[in-house]
């Protein structure tokens, strides 16, 4: 199966911003949703944000007001804009394709994760 690819991670100081991308051919044209997760060293993976195939968005309490998820259908890309970053945001960020439609499931299957992109926020 074709896997999504993340990009945009890096090292920033507290208060800075980064924009992560998650893309795959046919990601939006096949009516897929996308979920962002993160996993910090020594901690369990946690859900961060999701966007549905119709554009509905939802956020974890820890990032509300700071992160924004969006999609560009023309580019088959979902973005996670991260502002006012904190050291506790440091983690490996991964995106997963949500097969919320039959056409998306046929294209991407289930449990389809990208390899992740590292975000490091220094104080």
């Amino acid at each position: 199966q074709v896997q999504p690819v993340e990009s945009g991670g890096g090292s920033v100081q507290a208060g800075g911003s980064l924009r992560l991308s998650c893309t795959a051919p046919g990601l939006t044209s096949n009516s897929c949703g996308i979920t962002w997760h993160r996993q910090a060293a020594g901690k369990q993976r946690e859900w961060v944000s999701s966007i549905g195939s119709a554009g509905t968005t939802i956020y974890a309490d820890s990032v509300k007001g700071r992160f924004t998820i969006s999609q560009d259908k023309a580019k088959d890309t979902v973005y996670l804009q991260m502002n006012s970053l904190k050291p506790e945001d440091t983690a490996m960020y991964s995106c997963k394709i949500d097969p919320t439609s039959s056409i998306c499931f046929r294209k991407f299957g289930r449990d389809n994760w990208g390899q992740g992109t590292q975000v490091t926020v220094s104080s």
Side-chain angles (χ1 to χ4, degrees):
Q1 59 184 0
V2 177
Q3 295 180 324
V5 177
E6 304 96 334
S7 63
S11 298
V12 298
Q13 295 183 351
S17 298
L18 287 172
R19 189 178 75 164
L20 307 184
S21 298
C22 174
T23 187
L27 181 64
T28 58
S29 62
N30 286 285
S31 300
C32 300
I34 283 289
T35 291
W36 284 98
H37 291 81
R38 66 186 183 186
Q39 186 168 21
K43 298 183 179 180
Q44 294 184 350
R45 185 176 61 200
E46 64 174 331
W47 167 76
V48 175
S49 182
S50 297
I51 186 168
S53 59
T56 302
T57 61
I58 188 170
Y59 303 90
D61 288 341
S62 59
V63 305
K64 285 182 179 178
R66 300 188 298 120
F67 291 11
T68 303
I69 190 170
S70 62
Q71 63 181 329
D72 186 334
K73 295 182 179 180
K75 297 182 179 180
D76 278 322
T77 299
V78 170
Y79 302 103
L80 185 67
Q81 178 67 46
M82 306 186 296
N83 298 327
S84 301
L85 284 164
K86 305 175 181 179
E88 52 261 44
D89 295 319
T90 296
M92 178 71 72
Y93 285 72
S94 302
C95 68
K96 180 179 71 174
I97 298 175
D98 298 325
T100 53
S101 69
S102 59
I103 189 172
C104 182
F105 180 79
R106 290 196 296 270
K107 179 73 172 180
F108 296 104
R110 61 170 61 91
D111 297 322
N112 196 343
W113 294 81
Q115 294 182 354
T117 185
Q118 179 67 38
V119 172
T120 302
V121 185
S122 62
S123 60

